[in-house]
Amino acid sequence: MRRAATALVVLACLGALGACGDDGGDGASTDPVEVEVGKAFTWNGFAVEDGWELTAIERSVSMEEVVTPEVKGTIKNTSDEERAALFEMVFSADGSELATVNCSARKMLPDQSQQFVCPGLSATMPEDYDAVVVQEYGRDTTSS
């Protein structure tokens, strides 16, 4: 259910990118925004600097090797209050979700920068993605 909702958000963003992107304001919106790997962007009063990276990490899971995504970079709190960053990056191809990584950074004072990390521990490294969307972190509230 959550994957379907995420895919719909990605499709909506791709279909109406003007509504999802930074509209030239202060970047304080929590609307999903399409970004390009390694390029600077603003979202929800945070600014991610040029040079952030998506890397493949080899991990051993249940006696087999898997390759998962990991995103790292530098983020700055551009708001006027102390707060922490928490968001998702959704990698997709043709509107279908391939991988989602959860990103976080500790509390920062206004104008403070620090490293952020997005370990994709439960995701498979996306290969042929055509979009990356930054959006609010969403918890899966469905029960199995």
Side-chain angles (χ1 to χ4, degrees), residues 4-23:
T6 300
L8 288 175
V9 167
V10 171
L11 286 172
C13 280
L14 295 174
L17 191 55
C20 295
D22 185 5
D23 60 3

Side-chain angles (χ1 to χ4, degrees), residues 55-60 66-72 119-121 123 125:
T55 53
I57 305 294
E58 291 185 25
R59 302 182 196 275
S60 293
V66 296
V67 180
T68 64
E70 182 174 85
V71 174
K72 287 185 179 180
L121 299 176
M125 182 69 181

Side-chain angles (χ1 to χ4, degrees), residues 22-55:
D22 185 5
D23 60 3
D26 62 2
S29 172
T30 58
D31 289 343
V33 61
E34 187 171 350
V35 300
E36 187 176 332
V37 173
K39 301 292 183 186
F41 67 89
T42 59
W43 179 82
N44 190 23
F46 293 101
V48 172
E49 296 178 6
D50 267 333
W52 61 275
E53 301 177 322
L54 168 66
T55 53

